[in-house]
Amino acid sequence: MRLTDFWARLEQAFGPGYAASLASDQVLPQLDGRTIRQALDAGTPTVVVWRAVVAAYPERVPRQLH
């Protein structure tokens, strides 16, 4: 998954404002206690980060974005 696709999906699922906040502020256990931005900055593949988002927020991410 390309990084631009990742951000587009995150914004579609959470809205532009909340997606940015979520990426910077929410620590996800699926990412070893890092935020989305920290995981991406550390080189974690976008598909791995996206799967962590889906696992953490299954009710927020529309099925077609899985």
Side-chain angles (χ1 to χ4, degrees):
M1 172 186 304
R2 294 178 28 209
L3 190 57
T4 54
D5 295 331
F6 172 85
W7 287 113
R9 286 180 184 210
L10 195 67
E11 288 182 3
Q12 187 175 349
F14 295 94
Y18 187 59
S21 175
L22 178 74
S24 296
D25 300 332
Q26 183 64 45
V27 172
L28 299 179
Q30 298 90 339
L31 297 175
D32 297 325
R34 296 178 291 178
T35 67
I36 292 168
R37 286 198 187 276
Q38 289 170 333
L40 292 172
D41 289 346
T44 305
T46 53
V47 68
V48 171
V49 178
W50 182 249
R51 287 180 187 147
V53 171
V54 172
Y57 301 98
E59 72 286 347
R60 288 291 305 259
V61 179
R63 192 84 178 126
Q64 69 269 21
L65 295 179
H66 287 214

